[in-house]
Amino acid sequence: MLPMHLGESRSERKTPENMPSLRQLEFAFQTVAASLWHAPRFAQQSAYKASVLEAKARQLLRSLGAKRIATELRVEWNSRLKTAAGRADYRQKLISLNPKLVEHPAEIDRTLRHELAHILAQFRQKSRRQIAPHGPEWQQACQDLGIADEKRCHTLPFPPRRYAPRFIYRCPNCRRDFPRVRKVRCTVACLACCRAHNCGEFDIRFRLKLLTV
């Protein structure tokens, strides 16, 4: 996979033919999101137990004629989910829910049905063709599951946790600082200086220096 300057889109990624150097990199500090909630805090609440939600989801599938997949379906709380309310994995027959949903109890059932609609819609596709995530098949499944007006994305306030940078790199020429959460494992130079003074080619004079550890 070709390296990409932080801040550029994949469509802007340079090809080997016109890329000045694979060692050049322009850094921009990016925050790292992490879950603010852990499942054990509410796992003991019977109304929110994964086993209770799993039984409900299985019953919904059986009521819609999807008995075979109902026996395979699993539901879990997954604290690794950050900004997504839930996730459906048809291959594993698994629905994962964001533990932070417990802060919005009214959304738990709707999110469960939203993800279950993905499972049901794909199950109904007899040709095993991969359907569009939020296409007409999913919309029909949502209607059958009682959430006909369901949107593609949730609007719940799931703010990420932000981490302070542990490493600061500085360009010896322009003196610009590049904060990083993780330590850089390769030799990199200030892209702005390489462009301004060396036609975009890697120049050791502008190699970034680590200031803090």
Side-chain angles (χ1 to χ4, degrees):
M1 181 178 294
L2 297 177
M4 181 172 64
H5 298 312
L6 294 182
E8 73 177 355
S9 66
R10 291 185 181 277
S11 62
E12 297 171 340
R13 186 178 297 182
K14 295 179 176 60
T15 62
E17 290 77 13
N18 58 23
M19 180 179 293
S21 171
L22 298 182
R23 294 184 296 173
Q24 292 178 195
L25 188 64
E26 182 174 22
F27 294 110
F29 174 67
Q30 294 182 338
T31 58
V32 178
S35 175
L36 297 176
W37 203 280
H38 297 285
R41 178 172 178 177
F42 63 88
Q44 296 180 354
Q45 302 181 39
S46 60
Y48 301 148
K49 281 184 177 179
S51 58
V52 174
L53 297 175
E54 184 177 286
K56 182 176 185 177
R58 288 182 173 185
Q59 178 56 40
L60 287 169
L61 287 176
R62 285 193 289 266
S63 70
L64 294 171
K67 296 181 180 180
R68 179 177 63 80
I69 199 172
T71 62
E72 304 175 38
L73 183 72
R74 294 179 295 121
V75 176
E76 68 171 11
W77 291 103
N78 189 338
S79 59
R80 289 175 295 179
L81 293 180
K82 300 175 176 64
T83 58
R87 182 175 61 199
D89 187 326
Y90 182 77
R91 289 186 177 182
Q92 296 188 34
K93 309 302 185 291
L94 174 66
I95 291 177
S96 301
L97 300 174
N98 191 324
K100 287 179 287 186
L101 278 170
V102 76
E103 298 174 355
H104 310 275
E107 298 296 328
I108 295 178
D109 178 72
R110 192 175 191 90
T111 302
L112 177 67
R113 291 172 187 255
H114 176 115
E115 302 305 333
L116 189 61
H118 288 294
I119 301 290
L120 178 61
Q122 188 62 55
F123 171 75
R124 288 172 168 175
Q125 181 53 242
K126 302 302 182 182
S127 66
R128 295 186 179 182
R129 174 180 62 87
Q130 186 69 32
I131 63 174
H134 298 96
E137 298 90 349
W138 175 80
Q139 295 172 7
Q140 181 61 54
C142 284
Q143 183 174 334
D144 295 339
L145 288 166
I147 51 172
D149 60 340
E150 181 66 356
K151 308 299 182 185
R152 295 179 58 183
C153 302
H154 72 83
T155 57
L156 298 174
F158 286 174
R161 176 177 295 171
R162 301 181 182 277
Y163 288 90
R166 297 174 54 202
F167 306 95
I168 306 295
Y169 291 83
R170 177 174 295 172
C171 173
N173 181 61
C174 66
R175 312 300 292 175
R176 179 183 174 187
D177 289 344
F178 300 89
R180 298 292 290 169
V181 174
R182 296 181 177 86
K183 193 172 183 179
V184 176
R185 301 296 182 184
C186 58
T187 301
V188 292
C190 175
L191 180 58
C193 289
C194 287
R195 284 176 173 172
H197 305 289
N198 199 34
C199 300
E201 296 289 340
F202 175 83
D203 194 318
I204 195 66
R205 294 177 298 169
F206 310 128
R207 178 180 177 178
L208 301 184
K209 306 294 184 182
L210 178 62
L211 299 183
T212 61
V213 180

